[in-house]
């Protein structure tokens, strides 16, 4: 079964089929899907993380630790040592467990640990045993003494230099920190000995030391007897000397310093005097100066900072007097200079350690905590998304991931545009040729494109300079000869389908006590045990630049969900029902996994989860009591392939076993409770905000308790007498629906609750009383709106069925409206209680007889019931055009021509300063420009301005042609042509730019356009 429609302003990532208007048919005809508006576009700076991003508790340390060291060994394990104990442990990332190793020869704290090129670990620091340095051998799991420091020290730094030696600086001679040290020593692993080197310019402890790309060492901040320090100095290994450099903007100690990929050093937090410890600074080795960067969200000291594989910096934990011990984590983006909030750790901690693992994740262990001080947890930056900009039909997002264990998608950091269908294509920033190509691709289907901003910027630069940038040269391929001849776009490339399978058993058991319509309880029970396979088909979008094809992004063509399994489901309802309502409750949303890969150079991340939901759809006209239970068990196979315009489904259900109980209750009116549970497989592109599609199975137990006695059900025959109606029954049915739901950029969401349905199947029926012969049900609709509209007014009328219509829940109504002036229209798809808003403007005044007819419903019932009303249209003048519809459009800039004749260049320039006045009666203006150079080269430019349908936006388009003759400027020898266009919003501006080059032998003639179109309201 195929359901399709092309959505308008912004396409969804994935669209499903439409609502099955008649659940009693196995394959009903399609109708419109229900539309549910979603939230507005996200604020700039909004951070979204995938379900795989965050913290996972791992094995426990053998003892509480603080002021310890953690070192990643060459085999990927992590050695933890010190922390007021001689105990040392090893963490195995493969198993997530800790195991003891040989005890250290001393109880180190405030010490350092340095991985040597040999694979051994050098630990340095003072202690009560007098062993200030020792070596750990991972091969044997044992420790050995090495040469002692000349000056035992706490709270110092140790750093491996490029020559293989270890530089130790500063610290304190006592654990209390009262005697700061200014000395520095060098350890030679070859001899196991220490030698003194030049002393620091200033003694300090709790400082940082960072090895710079040029081999020098930056020491910054810390404290001494006088307090906290802002000073910084550089160590030159070749001379063994220290040189002062510019001071930090903030004096600080117990801070962090991290070498970034760009060679700068990021300093964060720390203990400070009279300033917020949220301040962060950057040191530039090229200038030797400090500059401020974005502040942390949380003040902290004794925290950790870890450089991730994608160049971001992860900061965790810490302490501040105002906040205490912290769980907060945040991520620094060097490109934007800002911090993004991340999921918090499971345990608060400071004076802990953070170690980058070989797979790109970060192990955090120990520290002082209000919780479990033996705990450790692992951070995974699988996917982090930040909103950088928004526009009409598009968003600019930064997407990044730091894990390194996926061979198809290594650590990444990219800025991408999410471009939704025709509107997004028209408004998103992109080269003109690419815009034209995407518009053609979207002409007959709904689309969402992901475009890489860096590539688009590089294309723009390449167009300006006339040659490919080095980056584009690295990813471009030569355009085919036929493409060069035809000046065609580069064809897209279908990538190999990506597929993944998950086995799962998920329970549908839940209980909810309700109010606001049902004072009682609903229960669901059972489980879905299934195997689900997700297949994603992606096209790599390529565009032509000069004689090359460049990958610019990708287009997710379709997603297929194929699930097979066993479904057991039961439901019960018990309580007092008083009003119509509906409930949906999330049971859980377990994460299944993800599919991640590269489409050319562009990262693709598709997450997959399993939303489990329970709900009750309740419709009632009166108050009454009801109680019943039903169960069913069956095998289900559901498969749907979804494109941007619809889903093709292949689903089936084996013959179930069912059971039900007698109903308890009585009613005058109608009560229709439907209890359901749903298990869906949801695939989302990047994040659920960007776009998602889900296909699920939803079993229902439908109850229908109906009874009526009375005269107030309407006057069907027009005799002013309302007929007497009485009757009652209870009907219990089951059905299973395959559902679909899609969302794009959170602009809107569409949901199909019955992409496929078994239709209602009988469980239990009981006739509670016999209805009165001749009773009837009203089918005449209502038409609510003004009885005295003005001539030319676009007047709204609400059309719906009467409230006592008995087939309220399952059917769509087909209407015919006659406006009494010769105009009429037909429409369908609105349910009885859904108001259809229709508008009409009468061109002539006077009395009008308008009518609305309920022709039929989607269940096959024919009504042909008509409601008429008299409308008195009063006379008035045709309304004036609103002032904002009068637009003053300025076109400013220049047009340049060059005639290159054997090295003798001649130029001409047209300075443009024109204005057009547009309004609904004069919506178009055209300007023509022509210029000749040396009687050989002629340029022709036409600029067309058009007021769009909203009467405030102006579409601008410039077309240029370059001609060349031998001695006559009137030649029609066309050498090249191109165009540029763009929509100019109200009170906005837009550039019109292009360049036409004509290269012959050693000369190049050109026509260059650089205009700005400004759209403002006309002033009186």
């Amino acid at each position: 079964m195929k359901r399709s429609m092309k959505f308008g302003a912004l396409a969804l990532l994935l669209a499903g089929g439409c609502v099955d208007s008649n659940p009693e048919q196995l394959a009903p005809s399609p109708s419109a899907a229900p539309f549910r508006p979603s939230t507005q576009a996200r604020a700039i700076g909004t951070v979204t993380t995938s379900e795989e991003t965050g913290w996972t508790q791992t094995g426990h340390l053998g003892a509480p630790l603080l002021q310890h060291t953690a070192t990643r060994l060459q085999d990927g394990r992590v050695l933890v040592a010190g922390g007021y104990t001689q105990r040392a442990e090893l963490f195995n990332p493969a198993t997530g467990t800790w195991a003891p190793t040989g005890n250290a020869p001393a109880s180190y704290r405030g010490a350092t640990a340095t991985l040597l090129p040999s694979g051994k670990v050098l630990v340095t620091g003072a202690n009560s045993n007098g062993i200030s340095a020792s070596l750990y051998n991972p091969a044997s799991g044992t420790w050995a003494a090495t040469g002692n420091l000349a000056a035992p020290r706490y709270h110092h730094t140790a750093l491996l230099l490029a020559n293989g030696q270890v530089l130790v600086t500063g610290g304190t001679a006592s654990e209390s920190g009262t005697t700061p040290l200014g000395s520095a020593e060098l350890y030679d692993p070859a001899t196991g000995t220490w030698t003194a080197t030049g002393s620091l310019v200033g003694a300090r402890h709790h400082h940082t030391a960072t090895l710079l790309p040029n081999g020098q060492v930056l020491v910054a901040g810390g404290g001494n007897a006088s307090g906290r320090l802002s000073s910084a100095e550089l160590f030159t290994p070749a001379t063994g000397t220290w040189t002062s450099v510019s001071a930090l903007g903030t004096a600080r100690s117990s801070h962090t310093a991290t070498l970034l990929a760009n060679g700068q050093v990021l300093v964060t937090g720390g203990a400070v005097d009279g300033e917020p410890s949220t301040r962060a600074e950057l040191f530039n080795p090229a200038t030797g100066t400090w500059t401020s960067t974005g502040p942390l969200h949380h003040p902290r000291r004794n925290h950790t900072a870890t450089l991730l594989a994608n160049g971001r910096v992860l900061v965790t934990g810490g302490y501040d007097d105002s906040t205490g011990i912290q769980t907060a984590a945040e991520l620094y983006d060097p490109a934007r200079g800002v911090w993004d909030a991340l999921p918090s750790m499971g345990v608060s901690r400071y004076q802990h350690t953070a170690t980058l693992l070989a797979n790109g994740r970060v192990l955090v262990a120990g520290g002082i905590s209000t919780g479990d001080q033996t705990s450790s947890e692992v951070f995974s930056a699988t996917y982090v998304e930040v909103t950088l900009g928004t526009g009409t039909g598009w968003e600019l997002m930064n997407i990044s991931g730091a894990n390194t264990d996926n061979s198809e998608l290594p650590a990444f950091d990219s800025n991408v545009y999410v471009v939704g269908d025709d509107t997004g294509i028209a408004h998103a920033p992109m080269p003109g040729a690419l815009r034209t190509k995407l518009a053609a691709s979207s002409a007959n289907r709904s689309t969402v494109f992901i475009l890489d901003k860096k590539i688009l910027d590089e294309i723009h630069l390449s167009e300006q300079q006339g040659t490919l940038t080095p980056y584009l040269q690295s990813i471009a391929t030569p355009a085919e000869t036929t493409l060069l001849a035809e000046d065609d776009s580069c064809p897209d490339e279908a990538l190999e389908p990506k597929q993944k399978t998950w086995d799962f058993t998920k329970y549908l058991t839940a209980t909810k006590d309700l109010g606001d319509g049902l004072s009682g309880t609903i229960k669901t029970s059972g489980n879905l045990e299934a195997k689900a396979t997700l297949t994603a088909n992606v096209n790599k979008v390529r565009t032509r630049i000069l004689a090359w094809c460049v990958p610019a992004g990708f287009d997710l063509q379709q997603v297929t969900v194929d699930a097979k399994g066993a479904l057991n489901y039961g439901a019960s309802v018990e309580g007092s029902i008083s009003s119509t309502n509906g409930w949906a409750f999330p049971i859980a949303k377990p994460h299944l996994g993800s599919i991640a890969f590269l489409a050319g150079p562009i990262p693709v991340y598709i997450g997959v989860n399993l939303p489990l939901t329970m709900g009750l759809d309740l419709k009632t006209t009166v108050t009454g009591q009801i109680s019943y239970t039903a169960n069913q068990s069956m095998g289900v196979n559901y498969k749907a392939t979804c494109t941007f315009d619809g889903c093709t489904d292949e689903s089936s259900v084996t013959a179930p076993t069912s059971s039900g109980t007698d109903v308890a209750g009585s009613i005058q009116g109608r009560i229709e409770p439907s209890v359901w549970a749903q298990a869906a497989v949801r695939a989302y592109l990047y994040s659920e905000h960007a776009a998602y599609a889900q296909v699920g199975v939803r079993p229902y137990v439908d109850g229908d308790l109906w009874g009526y006695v009375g005269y107030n059900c309407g006057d069907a025959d027009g005799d002013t007498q309302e007929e007497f109606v009485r009757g009652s029954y209870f009907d219990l049915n089951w059905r299973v629906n395959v559902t679909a739901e899609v969302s794009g950029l959170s602009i809107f969401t569409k949901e199909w609750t019955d992409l496929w349905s078994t239709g209602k199947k009988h469980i239990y029926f009981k006739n509670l009383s016999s209805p009165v012969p001749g009773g009837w049900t009203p089918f005449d609709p209502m038409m609510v709106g003004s009885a005295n509209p003005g001539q030319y007014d676009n007047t709204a009328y609400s059309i719906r069925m009467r409230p006592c219509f008995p087939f309220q829940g399952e059917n769509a109504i087909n209407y015919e409206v006659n406006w009494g002036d010769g105009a009429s229209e037909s429409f369908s798809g609105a349910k009885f209680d859904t108001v259809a808003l229709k508008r009409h403007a009468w061109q002539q005044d006077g009395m009008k007889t308008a009518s609305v007819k309920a022709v039929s419903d989607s269940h096959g019932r024919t009504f042909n019931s008509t409601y008429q009303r008299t409308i008195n249209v009063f006379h008035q003048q045709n309304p004036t055009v609103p002032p904002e519809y009068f637009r003053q459009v300025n076109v400013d800039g220049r047009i340049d021509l060059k005639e290159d004749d054997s090295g003798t260049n001649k130029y001409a320039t047209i300075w443009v300063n024109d204005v057009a006045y547009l309004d609904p009666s004069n919506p178009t203006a055209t300007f023509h420009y022509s210029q000749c150079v040396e009687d050989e080269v002629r340029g022709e430019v036409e600029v067309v301005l058009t007021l769009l349908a909203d009467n405030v936006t102006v579409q601008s388009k410039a077309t240029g042609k370059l001609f060349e003759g031998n001695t006559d400027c009137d030649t029609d020898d066309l050498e090249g042509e191109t165009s540029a266009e763009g929509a100019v919003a109200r009170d906005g501006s837009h550039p019109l730019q292009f360049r036409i080059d004509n290269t012959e032998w050693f000369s190049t003639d050109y026509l260059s356009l650089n205009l700005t179109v400004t759209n403002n309201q006309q002033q009186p």
Side-chain angles (χ1 to χ4, degrees):
M1 176 168 49
K2 172 70 176 178
R3 329 284 180 70
S4 66
M5 61 189 297
K6 187 178 192 306
F7 305 125
L10 179 64
L12 301 171
L13 169 68
L14 294 165
C18 297
V19 164
D20 290 342
S21 55
N22 187 347
E24 296 179 358
Q25 296 180 0
L26 189 60
S29 58
S31 60
F35 173 82
R36 187 171 74 227
S38 296
T39 58
Q40 299 295 320
R42 294 181 302 183
I44 293 175
T46 300
V47 180
T48 305
T49 58
S50 71
E51 292 154 308
E52 294 169 302
T53 296
W55 298 91
T56 303
Q57 295 293 315
T58 189
H60 279 65
L61 292 158
L65 296 178
L66 67 149
Q67 294 189 27
H68 52 289
T69 65
T71 310
R72 191 181 94 197
L73 305 177
Q74 291 178 343
D75 63 5
R77 295 179 298 168
V78 177
L79 169 69
V80 163
Y84 294 92
T85 179
Q86 291 181 243
R87 179 185 177 90
E89 299 185 52
L90 289 172
F91 177 77
N92 187 340
T95 61
T97 57
W98 293 90
T101 187
N103 284 346
S107 175
Y108 293 102
R109 58 267 193 192
T112 63
T114 309
L115 180 66
L116 302 178
S118 65
K120 295 181 180 181
V121 177
L122 171 67
V123 173
T124 68
N127 53 78
S128 57
N129 292 9
I131 304 174
S132 59
S134 56
L135 288 172
Y136 175 76
N137 186 343
S140 62
T142 59
W143 295 80
T146 188
N148 274 335
L149 289 160
R153 55 190 82 210
Y154 298 89
H155 309 302
H156 53 290
T157 64
L159 195 64
L160 181 68
L161 303 179
N163 61 10
Q165 293 183 313
V166 178
L167 172 67
V168 166
T169 67
T172 62
S174 63
E175 193 169 1
S176 61
T178 57
T179 310
L181 300 174
S183 61
E185 305 180 49
L186 289 171
Y187 178 77
D188 185 350
T191 63
T193 58
W194 295 88
T195 57
T197 188
S199 294
L200 293 158
V201 175
R204 63 186 76 218
H205 56 83
H206 290 94
H207 54 290
T208 57
T210 310
L211 181 65
L212 302 180
N214 63 5
Q216 291 182 303
V217 176
L218 171 68
V219 164
N224 61 19
S226 300
R228 298 181 179 99
L229 300 173
S230 62
S231 62
E233 45 191 301
L234 286 174
F235 176 73
T236 303
T239 62
T241 58
W242 295 87
T243 306
S244 294
V245 292
S246 298
L248 289 156
T250 299
R252 60 182 87 211
S253 63
S254 300
H255 52 288
T256 64
T258 309
L259 179 67
L260 304 179
N262 60 12
Q264 294 185 316
V265 178
L266 171 69
V267 166
T268 68
V272 299
D273 294 317
E275 297 184 63
S277 62
T278 54
R279 290 192 59 180
E281 305 181 53
L282 290 170
F283 178 75
N284 187 341
T287 62
T289 57
W290 296 88
T291 56
S292 293
T293 188
L296 293 156
H297 293 292
H298 301 275
R300 57 183 90 213
R301 63 178 183 266
N302 290 311
H303 53 292
T304 64
T306 309
L307 181 69
L308 303 182
N310 61 1
R312 304 293 178 93
V313 178
L314 172 69
V315 162
T316 68
Y319 177 85
D320 185 77
D321 294 339
S322 63
T323 60
I325 308 174
Q326 298 190 29
T327 60
E330 43 194 306
L331 197 63
Y332 180 72
D333 180 1
R336 295 183 293 129
V338 298
W339 295 87
D340 298 320
L342 290 175
S344 294
M345 295 185 295
V347 175
S348 63
R349 59 184 86 227
Y350 75 106
Q351 293 188 0
H352 54 293
T353 57
T355 309
L356 182 67
L357 303 177
N359 59 14
R361 293 163 175 81
V362 178
L363 169 69
V364 167
I368 301 175
S369 175
T370 56
D372 186 355
Q373 293 188 188
T374 67
S375 67
S376 61
E377 44 193 314
V378 172
F379 176 76
S380 173
T382 303
Y383 178 80
V384 179
E385 174 185 299
V386 184
T387 302
L388 302 181
T390 62
T392 304
W394 61 270
E395 283 196 15
L396 175 62
M397 305 185 311
N398 174 264
I399 58 173
S400 65
N403 295 348
T404 57
D405 52 353
N406 182 350
S407 60
E408 292 198 60
L409 183 63
F412 60 94
D413 187 348
S414 298
N415 294 335
V416 297
Y417 291 103
V418 180
V419 181
D421 209 43
D422 302 336
T423 301
I425 294 170
H427 293 89
M430 71 180 75
L434 179 59
R435 191 187 312 277
T436 300
K437 173 177 180 172
L438 299 189
S441 178
S442 186
N444 298 312
R445 65 188 183 102
S446 299
T447 56
V448 167
F449 292 98
I450 307 298
L451 304 178
D452 187 282
K453 183 179 185 299
K454 178 179 179 180
I455 294 177
L456 300 191
D457 292 342
E458 296 278 334
I459 290 174
H460 179 69
L461 181 58
S462 298
E463 289 175 337
Q464 287 184 324
Q465 65 188 24
T467 59
L468 292 187
T469 63
Y471 176 68
L472 290 190
Q473 290 178 28
S474 69
I475 62 174
T477 56
E480 292 83 348
T481 304
T482 55
L483 298 182
L484 294 175
E486 299 172 4
D487 193 26
D488 197 2
S489 296
C490 298
D492 292 344
E493 178 184 335
L495 302 182
E496 191 73 20
K498 302 297 181 180
Q499 188 176 90
K500 209 164 189 178
T501 299
W502 294 271
D503 291 295
F504 58 87
T505 299
K506 299 302 176 184
Y507 293 92
L508 306 176
T509 302
T511 299
K512 275 290 181 180
D513 294 322
L514 303 181
D516 192 23
L518 170 62
S519 179
T521 302
I522 63 170
K523 295 180 180 180
T524 60
S525 61
N527 68 285
L528 174 64
E529 183 176 355
K531 172 182 286 187
T533 299
L534 179 80
T535 306
N537 294 78
V538 171
N539 267 11
K540 182 166 63 177
V541 175
R542 304 196 305 162
T543 186
R544 182 178 162 194
I545 168 71
L546 304 176
W548 300 86
C549 290
V550 174
F554 68 88
D555 170 16
L556 185 57
Q557 294 283 300
Q558 66 181 35
V559 167
T560 300
V561 174
D562 187 357
K564 298 177 175 64
L567 173 66
N568 301 289
Y569 178 63
S572 66
V573 176
E574 181 175 3
S576 174
I577 294 174
S578 59
S579 63
T580 296
N581 210 333
W583 295 265
F585 306 100
I587 300 173
K589 190 163 66 174
H591 180 67
L592 293 182
S594 61
I595 300 175
F597 55 95
L598 286 171
I602 300 102
V604 183
Y605 176 86
I606 300 174
V608 183
N609 57 29
L610 189 71
L612 304 176
T613 314
M614 70 174 295
L616 171 65
D617 299 330
L618 175 62
K619 301 177 181 67
T620 183
T621 59
V622 294
T623 298
Q625 298 286 328
I626 191 169
S627 174
Y628 65 87
T629 299
N631 296 280
Q632 60 188 89
S633 175
M634 67 197 71
V636 291
N637 297 329
Y638 58 100
K639 177 180 180 181
T641 298
C642 295
T643 69
F644 296 122
D645 291 305
C647 291
T648 301
D649 69 271
E650 304 170 24
S651 304
S652 64
V653 172
T654 61
T657 58
S658 304
S659 65
T661 62
D662 283 352
V663 66
S666 61
I667 201 76
Q668 289 189 27
R670 191 174 188 177
I671 296 174
E672 296 176 276
S674 293
V675 184
W676 54 267
Q678 176 173 282
V681 177
R682 172 179 291 187
Y684 54 89
L685 180 62
Y686 294 135
S687 68
E688 291 186 352
H689 166 79
Y692 71 78
Q694 71 177 43
V695 177
V697 58
R698 180 185 291 190
Y700 286 81
V701 170
D702 296 319
D704 186 358
L705 177 63
W706 181 86
Y708 183 84
V709 177
Y711 289 90
N712 60 348
C713 200
D715 178 12
D717 55 10
D719 62 357
T720 72
Q721 299 296 317
E722 297 190 8
E723 292 79 13
F724 177 73
V725 176
R726 183 181 68 193
S728 61
Y729 64 80
F730 179 70
D731 191 21
L732 187 62
N733 297 276
W734 68 264
R735 59 190 160 107
V736 175
N737 291 0
V738 173
T739 66
E741 183 178 331
V742 293
S743 179
L745 286 178
S746 286
I747 293 175
F748 59 91
T749 299
K750 282 181 176 279
E751 180 182 5
W752 294 268
T753 56
D754 48 2
L755 180 65
W756 177 90
S757 179
T758 61
K760 287 190 175 182
K761 302 298 181 181
H762 176 68
I763 295 178
Y764 175 85
F765 177 83
K766 186 173 184 179
N767 189 354
L768 304 178
S769 62
S770 299
V772 174
W776 65 274
T777 306
F779 300 108
D780 52 325
M782 298 190 296
M783 185 178 189
V784 180
S786 174
N788 301 100
Q791 184 182 4
Y792 305 113
D793 288 346
N794 197 19
T795 308
Y797 290 88
S798 299
I799 297 172
R800 56 164 288 179
M801 296 303 294
R802 293 181 180 272
C804 58
F805 184 72
F807 308 111
Q808 299 177 359
E810 302 170 354
N811 305 284
I813 310 301
N814 301 314
Y815 296 98
E816 290 181 1
V817 179
N818 190 313
W819 297 105
D821 60 354
S824 62
E825 60 180 299
S826 301
F827 61 96
S828 63
K831 292 186 178 181
F832 100 101
D833 57 352
T834 300
V835 176
L837 191 64
K838 295 295 177 180
R839 295 181 179 272
H840 189 68
W842 284 272
Q843 302 302 305
Q844 302 294 328
D845 59 359
M847 303 297 293
K848 312 293 178 184
T849 301
S851 64
V852 55
K853 178 191 291 186
V855 179
S856 61
D857 68 7
S858 55
H859 197 64
R861 303 177 182 94
T862 299
F863 308 130
N864 288 326
S865 180
T866 302
Y867 169 74
Q868 290 185 341
R869 58 175 299 182
T870 300
I871 296 174
N872 185 8
V873 180
F874 67 82
H875 177 77
Q876 66 178 6
Q877 297 296 319
N878 198 348
T880 60
V881 180
E884 63 266 24
Y885 288 4
F886 292 87
R887 312 305 300 173
Q888 176 178 319
V889 185
N890 294 85
V891 183
D892 300 286
R894 61 189 292 170
I895 302 171
D896 295 291
L897 276 88
K898 173 188 172 186
E899 192 276 325
D900 187 351
D901 190 2
S902 299
T904 303
N905 299 331
K906 301 294 183 181
Y907 300 90
T909 298
I910 303 174
W911 294 96
V912 178
N913 185 14
D914 289 312
V915 61
Y917 297 94
L918 306 181
D919 60 64
S921 61
N922 298 284
T924 304
T926 303
F927 298 103
H928 297 275
Y929 307 95
S930 179
Q931 181 68 47
C932 179
V933 181
E934 287 294 297
D935 291 332
E936 289 189 24
V937 173
R938 186 176 90 252
E940 300 282 348
V941 174
E942 179 183 78
V943 177
V944 179
L945 306 173
T946 305
L947 187 65
L948 297 184
D950 64 358
N951 293 321
V952 293
T953 304
V954 174
Q955 180 75 20
S956 61
K957 181 176 182 179
T959 303
K961 297 181 178 180
L962 182 64
F963 301 89
E964 182 179 18
N966 291 326
T967 59
D968 186 2
C969 253
D970 293 331
T971 178
D972 290 327
D973 187 5
L974 180 65
E975 299 295 338
E977 62 180 319
T978 190
S979 64
E981 61 182 304
V984 190
R986 179 203 320 238
D987 304 322
S989 62
H990 190 279
L992 284 178
Q993 298 175 332
F994 60 66
R995 177 177 168 127
I996 305 173
D997 289 311
N998 178 34
T999 301
E1000 296 179 346
W1001 296 98
F1002 301 104
S1003 66
T1004 300
D1005 304 328
Y1006 69 73
L1007 168 64
S1008 174
L1009 178 80
N1010 287 280
L1011 301 179
T1012 300
V1013 181
T1014 306
N1015 176 11
N1016 294 305
Q1017 183 174 327
Q1018 294 183 32
Q1019 299 300 314

